Amino acid sequence: MSSPTHANSYYAASANDKAIRPQLTGEHHCDVCVVGAGFTGISTALSLAEKGKRVIVVEGSRIGFGASGRNGGQIVNSFNRDIDYIFNNYGDDIGQKMAKMAFAGSELIRHRIKKYNIDCDLKHGNLFAACNKKQFEELKAKKALWERHGHNELELLTADTIQNHIGSDRYAGGLLDKKGGHIQPLNLVLGQAKAFEELGGQIFEDSEVIRLEQGKPGKVVTKQGTVVADTIVVAGNAYMFGLLPEIEKKAMPCGTQVIATEPLPEEIQKQLLPTDHCVEDCNYLLDYYRLSGDGRLIYGGGTTYGARDPGKIESIIVPKMLETYPMLKDTKIDFAWTGNFLLTMMRMPQVGKIGDNLYYAQGYSGHGVTNSHLMGEILSDAIDGEMERFDVFASMPQYQFPGGRMLRIPYTAAGAVYYNLRDKLGI
């Protein structure tokens, strides 16, 4: 039987670590078993190992196989729902506590990269690009909001000054977040996995979990082996496949598509993104793009609801890229791939505890790079008895999508069409 492989992406092709970890066989014992070797799982495992816990990670495919190894690679601060929304919908107490965590994920990523000398093409700065005047006014409000909560490394850009950063006339202005940035995401998770293993942790790949047995201790069961653990963490996100049906009902897998061009001449790179920041626009169905470490343009977007894999990714993404950069019409596309992330009804992460010793976190709704790293630290603290930050997330209600399994996709897609039309009309 052949071993599972990563998607045929630029990230997999440029991965620093292509070693395959062993399959779980026999019975193993540990303090904590983490199910899933993406950002959430590896961040949790590394944080626990730093505390001296005996941790085993069980992964159904490969480290970073899901969204963690396929995303746009952008370090974007805050949550899908921003701080003002949290205050308005969850109250001042939760709002204040969430505001303190809104920028912690990016800080943790940089700390890990420096501490463990992770080679993942870290570059600083991300741009929010406004496609119309309404969006530009919203970026003014975002800047004021974030500054009220202590984030002062922001610069508002007009339609003229944004062209110092983006070689396109599409935008009415923008906001530069100097605390944002971008990375090669698969190398980031692989680098943390290596650090975890150097601290004594174990990772088993090609070991799909078929059953969780709750109790004291709990059991994580695969076809070939079992892990007996005092505590279990489920971090499968969009790839859980029936392990915890009660929480899977509360979120919906969505697909996003990404392409990577051939390496571009340096003068073209400077023309496209003179300051080498990553970009995401402010549309509901947004585009995002950046330059890779070896000078490719990585361009993504094209959200699909219900995790459908489009047959021809280039046909979705290339027209978007050419709308921004018409000069790339003859540029070769070397890679095209898709991946699933998990969307929640309230667009906020879903975090909780089932029974005495099973924890879960899921549903970052497009903000997974920063939120998942933060969540790993929060889960680790909770397992170690420090519950304050965990309880903030766990206290927020978790709703199922309306319409049940059959209708949640068309309902959500219809909403996306409505908001996409508003973006085009600038209302």
Side-chain angles (χ1 to χ4, degrees), residues 2-74:
S2 61
S3 298
T5 60
H6 285 283
N8 183 28
S9 68
Y10 164 70
Y11 301 141
S14 59
N16 294 329
D17 180 0
K18 293 183 169 65
I20 299 175
R21 274 64 176 183
Q23 190 177 58
L24 179 72
T25 58
E27 185 171 285
H28 300 255
H29 294 254
C30 63
D31 297 324
V32 183
C33 181
V34 177
V35 180
F39 281 146
T40 302
I42 294 298
S43 179
T44 303
L46 178 54
S47 185
L48 287 165
E50 290 172 338
K51 292 174 165 54
K53 302 289 187 182
R54 295 176 299 125
V55 185
I56 291 174
V57 177
V58 180
E59 165 59 44
S61 187
R62 301 289 304 279
I63 296 169
F65 172 81
S68 300
R70 308 191 200 193
N71 63 77
Q74 301 205 12

Side-chain angles (χ1 to χ4, degrees), residues 13-14 24 35 41 90 101 109 116 122-123 126 128 153 185 189 223 244 270 339 347 349 400:
S14 59
L24 179 72
V35 180
Y90 300 106
M101 294 185 276
I109 289 170
Y116 295 111
L122 172 65
K123 301 178 184 183
N126 81 279
F128 301 98
E153 296 183 45
V189 69
K223 290 182 179 179
L244 292 174
K270 289 292 186 183
R347 307 302 194 265
Q400 293 187 29

Side-chain angles (χ1 to χ4, degrees), residues 37 51 107 114 156 180 187 215 220 224 230-231 254 277 279 308 333 367:
K51 292 174 165 54
E107 294 170 0
K114 182 177 181 180
L156 196 67
N187 279 335
V220 174
Q224 305 295 331
D230 296 332
T231 304
C254 296
H277 302 316
V279 180
R308 293 174 289 118
I333 306 301
H367 277 60

Side-chain angles (χ1 to χ4, degrees), residues 93-104:
D93 182 53
I94 288 179
Q96 292 288 355
K97 291 173 180 177
M98 290 290 287
K100 291 179 181 179
M101 294 185 276
F103 313 108

Side-chain angles (χ1 to χ4, degrees), residues 10-11 70-74 183-185 258-261 264 273 279 288-300 317 321 337:
Y10 164 70
Y11 301 141
R70 308 191 200 193
N71 63 77
Q74 301 205 12
I183 36 82
Q184 207 275 36
V258 189
I259 60 173
T261 69
L264 302 171
L273 291 164
V279 180
Y288 51 88
Y289 50 94
R290 64 188 186 87
L291 290 170
S292 68
D294 60 353
R296 302 169 186 270
L297 183 68
I298 297 177
Y299 204 106
I317 304 301
M321 179 184 77
W337 67 94

Side-chain angles (χ1 to χ4, degrees), residues 14 27 29 55 61 80 103 119 148 150 166 185 194 203 209 248 268 271 324 341 344 358 369 375-376 410-411 417:
S14 59
E27 185 171 285
H29 294 254
V55 185
S61 187
N80 181 296
F103 313 108
D119 178 11
R148 285 199 302 274
I166 305 174
K194 179 183 177 183
I203 302 173
V209 176
E248 290 178 55
I268 298 298
Q271 185 179 355
T324 307
F341 65 95
T344 68
L358 191 152
V369 174
M375 199 54 60
Y411 279 178
V417 169

Side-chain angles (χ1 to χ4, degrees), residues 249-274:
K249 295 176 182 177
K250 300 175 182 178
M252 180 173 65
C254 296
T256 187
Q257 287 65 245
V258 189
I259 60 173
T261 69
E262 62 187 332
L264 302 171
E266 188 171 344
E267 61 270 21
I268 298 298
Q269 296 178 44
K270 289 292 186 183
Q271 185 179 355
L272 302 181
L273 291 164

